[in-house]
Amino acid sequence: MFLSGSPPSESRTASPRPQFEEDDIQVQYHPSSQRPMQVFQFEDYGRGLGAPTVVPLVEPEPWYPFRTRIDFEVVELVLEAALTHQQTDRYHETHESLHRLFNLICRTKSEQFMLRNCKDVRDTWDAALFKLTPFVKEEVVVPFQGDDKTFQLFHRSIWDWAVDLLQDPQVGPHFVFDAERLSKFNGDKFVRFIHEPWTANTFWEYQVHDTIVLRPLAFILYADKAKLSSFGRAKGYPVIARCANLPVAIHNGEGLGGGRVVGWLPIVKEDKKHSRKPVYVNFKNAVWHQSFLKILACLAPLSKFGSAVKCWDDIIHIFYPIILILSADYEEQSVMALICGLMGKFPCPICLVPCDELSKTSNIYPLRTSAGAKALRVQARESTTLEAREQILSSESLRDVDNSFDTMENTDVHQALSNNKLHFNDGGLFSDHLWAELQKWIESSGRQAAVQIDSSFHSFPRWRNLNHFDQVTSISFSDGMKYEDISKESYSSTHNVFHQDQDSEAYLLLRCICSYVEFNTYASLDIHTEDTIKDGRKALENLTQLMDVYTLDLIDKSWNFPKKHLSAHLFDDIEAKGVTRNYNTKPNEKMHGPLKDAYQDHTNFKNFAEQILRYNHDSLIAEYICGKLSCLDAQKLSLLNASDLPEIDSETEPTTDGLHFSLGSPQAMQSFADVEASKTGNPAFIQFWIKLNEFLNHAFNANNIPFPNGRRIQLAADDMITEYRFLKVNYESLVDWHVSANYLRCSPMFHGLPRYDFVILQTEASVIFAQLLMVFTCMVGDVQYPIMLTLPYDQPVGARPWKDKDLDFWRVKAKPRVSAEFFSVQSIIRGCVLVEDSSRPNEALVVDTLDTDMFLRIKEIHTNSTTAG
């Protein structure tokens, strides 16, 4: 119903069924799994998949080796609060609140607190060390010009860490062992879609390799230097592992199944005597790979012969470890692939594109392979002269160093290297090139242009999870995610500054940026179908063509750089290894923060690597025990009788449709007369009370809702309503078909500024855009109805300017404020952002770059408009 919500859909029969219904999901399991293909109804897909077959056992004393639960909880507090040894022993001198806490615990009658000093704490942490796989220290010895150079390496067994997860009753059930091919029925045929690594091609191909059935345990590895001190003088070199058999929400998360530091590589100090010399660069690469060789030593033999593991459910599986994904920036990828990078003739770590053809992303070049690189190194080392050796290696820009990844069966380092959207796109192609180029045009256009653009960014409507900028034209950022948001806002904030007839080159650059944002949005999708991959490739082709035109006559800048070329491999990576968030470096770089905090709070700044990693391991154990305590508490709660559960306040009246929206920030009740009096001078509220009566009577008629007492609705001037200034809207995303949420404001003062957000509405006639003016509930009979007053943007626009087509704008026009309309809150599809076009009164541009769902919705509107036209 229009006001009270639609009834639940009728239940349908379970598969298999003779006919398919739209949105049905087909799952084709890998043949080696010996599982038949299945078709699920959309609402049933995923329900219970991966759930444990039996209720996992809960440890009765998960805090062991801490003697009591309170012992652990206090020590965890000490660890989290970063108290020093002296503060732990003399806490009453410096931390009075902690002193009171200790005294309270010591007086506890139900549980004895048994720790007395720092030694007790440290001894217990030492006893807990082996609850999870600990770090070990090894020496790495690499010769250089006749001398052996020794470095320290810290690492934990990646295999043992993975076994910890496989045997954990909370994490283990989420593992997926067999490849799947997923398809969604569109009413005509099943269309394949890809998201997790096991739904992509490489996982499937690995599972049957050379006629041998393999069950891959797939790893995602990341490595990069991290600045630990404020000025970057102290650095660390963490290696982070994730398990690709776990869903991305888990392996990219912060829990036990998330990313884990598994290594700390040595950093070779620069030597001015040898700096930048090829022999010294090769030496540094050799140190990296000799170190990584030790990290991979636990996996290399198992990748060939496999290893049996008894998992959480007591079932034994034989796994073959593979390195499925390597996540890194370009410089690190060059080290992993052992290529010469920017200085080589072939600077791409994935294919053999010549350095002077990097801008030609539509061309296809031979792919590198580990076997090919290894064979070329062997051939080069058989040469009788150094010159001949270098000539052979330079034919593919390879370094004369053995690659540690060659020890892994069924792993090709060049195939494992994956597109890094954060560094290649947001912090590369856009920030260093497209945006830098636009800044030049802004500067050459004069101060007024810069002021106008900064003002447009400043007035850009605020939106959750979108950075807001007061100034952008003359400042730079170190965070690639900020540049991602600048790109989303850039062309809607600059289109009135550069015009095709006056600034043709700058206008062409805007078109390039618009095309880039479209390509980058396709790169960001959390689920890709055959169609979106095709559309994404087309977007990249359009970007390449526009940039070819823009750069044709530019002589002051070369556009042949690796980060531009690497976009050519992006959609191949998606088809091979899943969507980009599986290998985005963002979650890994986020882990640099805690390592920096550990350096600042838990070390003496000398020989800090071991101290950081000890704290890292203690924190992991604390997180592990906390997880077990939560399971224990949940089990105890589930065993309580209903009479033991806390009472729920039955007088609470939720103003919500739990499935679609909820209202918040309620204001004091006011009458219709009060509302109209407080809004004097605002045309939208003229005859507020009368128009509401007309709306309600029409809505009740249209939706066959019985009138109270059989009479038409006639609210009185002294009837009361409750205004709400916050609105949460749930909607089904067009991208991943999961429920997403928008947090909307309708307030005269929110953080010091008025904020009246925009929404997409489903009206009786069509889908329209509108601005919230007031959200409230009113009582009709004995039922409260959530209603909103809006300003619809559904006026005919008339002749659209040519730039709307060039920049993919969707333009809308507001009605006069006196024509404000009421709608049920139920009719909101989702929230949105509209940006005023100052060159055309009452017109606004719909921002389709807010998120990927909004992007697909506006694409659909464009398509429908073209079809209708």
Side-chain angles (χ1 to χ4, degrees), residues 725-792:
R725 295 182 176 177
F726 169 76
L727 173 61
K728 178 184 176 183
V729 176
N730 299 315
Y731 63 95
E732 182 185 304
S733 169
L734 296 183
V735 179
D736 60 10
W737 316 307
H738 291 158
V739 174
S740 297
N742 291 148
Y743 296 80
L744 307 177
R745 302 286 173 178
C746 182
S747 175
M749 193 60 63
F750 180 70
H751 289 298
L753 294 170
R755 179 164 166 183
Y756 295 92
D757 285 337
F758 295 86
V759 291
I760 306 176
L761 299 178
Q762 178 64 62
T763 70
E764 295 175 354
S766 63
V767 172
I768 68 168
F769 297 87
Q771 184 176 24
L772 297 174
L773 300 179
M774 187 178 188
V775 179
F776 60 95
T777 56
C778 72
M779 187 74 70
V780 179
D782 57 356
V783 178
Q784 269 201 343
Y785 290 96
I787 299 170
M788 57 188 173
L789 180 66
T790 70
L791 180 63

Side-chain angles (χ1 to χ4, degrees), residues 80-96:
E80 184 179 341
L83 299 184
T84 65
H85 294 175
Q86 293 77 17
Q87 288 169 335
T88 307
D89 281 333
R90 301 195 307 273
Y91 51 82
H92 58 278
E93 296 177 7
T94 55
H95 287 268
E96 185 177 350

Side-chain angles (χ1 to χ4, degrees), residues 205-345:
E205 293 161 1
Y206 272 130
Q207 200 154 353
V208 174
H209 186 80
D210 294 337
T211 70
I212 301 174
V213 176
L214 304 179
R215 176 160 275 168
L217 192 58
F219 292 98
I220 303 168
L221 297 182
Y222 161 91
D224 198 7
K225 295 183 182 72
K227 293 181 180 180
L228 302 176
S229 60
S230 299
F231 297 100
R233 293 179 181 176
K235 294 181 180 180
Y237 209 151
V239 179
I240 296 171
R242 301 176 188 272
C243 191
N245 298 72
L246 288 169
V248 65
I250 294 177
H251 77 236
N252 273 359
E254 298 179 355
L256 186 63
R260 195 62 53 209
V261 177
V262 296
W264 195 272
L265 298 174
I267 297 177
V268 181
K269 294 181 179 179
E270 287 296 332
D271 186 334
K272 292 182 179 180
K273 182 180 178 181
H274 302 290
S275 183
R276 298 184 181 275
K277 292 182 179 179
V279 64
Y280 195 66
V281 175
N282 282 352
F283 166 68
K284 291 197 292 184
N285 277 263
V287 172
W288 194 99
H289 278 274
Q290 284 297 312
S291 301
F292 229 84
L293 192 66
K294 293 182 180 293
I295 292 175
L296 297 176
C298 62
L299 301 180
L302 305 184
S303 69
K304 184 174 183 179
F305 303 109
S307 181
V309 177
K310 180 185 282 189
C311 296
W312 80 96
D313 53 4
D314 290 334
I315 297 176
I316 297 176
H317 297 279
I318 297 177
F319 296 107
Y320 293 79
I322 61 172
I323 309 302
L324 180 68
I325 291 169
L326 290 171
S327 172
D329 62 18
Y330 172 74
E331 291 73 17
E332 200 71 21
Q333 289 197 10
S334 297
V335 174
M336 292 173 172
L338 283 171
I339 65 169
C340 295
L342 293 172
M343 306 305 294
K345 298 178 182 178

Side-chain angles (χ1 to χ4, degrees), residues 19 61 235 328 456 509 516 537 559 563 658 672 758 769 844:
Q19 292 185 336
E61 295 184 353
K235 294 181 180 180
S456 295
L509 179 61
Y516 160 81
R537 292 187 188 275
W559 289 82
K563 290 182 179 179
F672 289 114
F758 295 86
F769 297 87

Side-chain angles (χ1 to χ4, degrees), residues 485-601:
D485 289 347
I486 289 175
S487 72
K488 293 178 177 181
E489 303 173 25
S490 59
Y491 54 98
S492 62
S493 299
T494 57
H495 68 96
N496 278 330
V497 175
F498 301 111
H499 304 278
Q500 185 177 20
D501 55 346
Q502 299 171 3
D503 311 284
S504 58
E505 289 183 80
Y507 181 81
L508 179 58
L509 179 61
L510 284 188
R511 293 185 62 193
C512 291
I513 291 175
C514 175
S515 184
Y516 160 81
V517 173
E518 180 181 17
F519 155 69
N520 197 42
T521 306
Y522 277 116
S524 306
L525 295 181
D526 288 344
I527 287 183
H528 262 287
T529 68
E530 298 170 12
D531 296 330
T532 56
I533 289 176
K534 180 180 177 181
D535 292 341
R537 292 187 188 275
K538 180 64 176 175
L540 176 58
E541 182 182 340
N542 292 340
L543 171 62
T544 301
Q545 291 173 354
L546 283 170
M547 292 195 65
D548 284 347
V549 176
Y550 178 76
T551 60
L552 187 62
D553 297 323
L554 291 181
I555 58 175
D556 61 337
K557 175 179 174 60
S558 172
W559 289 82
N560 281 303
F561 53 89
K563 290 182 179 179
K564 183 175 188 300
H565 162 78
L566 285 165
S567 59
H569 300 295
L570 188 146
F571 295 102
D572 294 334
D573 278 346
I574 291 171
E575 290 181 327
K577 291 167 282 190
V579 295
T580 58
R581 67 174 181 156
N582 288 296
Y583 33 87
N584 197 324
T585 57
K586 190 184 301 184
N588 299 309
E589 293 182 8
K590 186 178 179 181
M591 294 179 67
H592 289 191
L595 296 175
K596 182 177 180 178
D597 292 341
Y599 170 79
Q600 298 289 345
D601 300 334

Side-chain angles (χ1 to χ4, degrees), residues 62-235:
W63 51 83
Y64 180 82
F66 294 91
R67 284 168 287 187
T68 64
R69 176 169 181 163
I70 287 183
D71 278 5
F72 165 71
E73 290 179 349
V74 172
V75 170
E76 185 207 7
L77 174 64
V78 170
L79 182 73
E80 184 179 341
L83 299 184
T84 65
H85 294 175
Q86 293 77 17
Q87 288 169 335
T88 307
D89 281 333
R90 301 195 307 273
Y91 51 82
H92 58 278
E93 296 177 7
T94 55
H95 287 268
E96 185 177 350
S97 60
L98 190 58
H99 172 61
R100 291 197 300 269
L101 176 61
F102 270 57
N103 285 339
L104 176 63
I105 294 172
C106 290
R107 294 196 305 268
T108 301
K109 297 179 181 180
S110 61
E111 193 171 348
Q112 187 177 5
F113 179 65
M114 305 180 72
L115 297 174
R116 293 290 175 261
N117 51 42
C118 176
K119 185 177 184 302
D120 281 357
V121 174
R122 189 69 266 165
D123 288 347
T124 313
W125 276 126
D126 289 341
L129 184 69
F130 293 97
K131 283 183 81 76
L132 295 171
T133 305
F135 285 97
V136 296
K137 179 167 69 173
E138 287 195 64
E139 288 188 344
V140 177
V141 180
V142 180
F144 178 68
Q145 295 186 341
D147 293 330
D148 285 343
K149 305 294 184 181
T150 303
F151 303 90
Q152 282 189 342
L153 166 72
F154 298 88
H155 67 101
R156 57 160 54 105
S157 168
I158 300 177
W159 180 257
D160 290 345
W161 164 73
V163 171
D164 288 342
L165 298 182
L166 285 165
Q167 294 179 340
D168 186 86
Q170 275 73 48
V171 178
H174 296 283
F175 272 84
V176 176
F177 299 143
D178 296 305
E180 301 173 359
R181 284 182 176 164
L182 306 178
S183 303
K184 190 166 181 271
F185 193 64
N186 66 2
D188 180 45
K189 62 178 181 178
F190 279 99
V191 178
R192 187 182 175 192
F193 64 90
I194 292 171
H195 52 104
E196 304 284 359
W198 60 82
T199 68
N201 294 339
T202 301
F203 204 105
W204 185 282
E205 293 161 1
Y206 272 130
Q207 200 154 353
V208 174
H209 186 80
D210 294 337
T211 70
I212 301 174
V213 176
L214 304 179
R215 176 160 275 168
L217 192 58
F219 292 98
I220 303 168
L221 297 182
Y222 161 91
D224 198 7
K225 295 183 182 72
K227 293 181 180 180
L228 302 176
S229 60
S230 299
F231 297 100
R233 293 179 181 176
K235 294 181 180 180

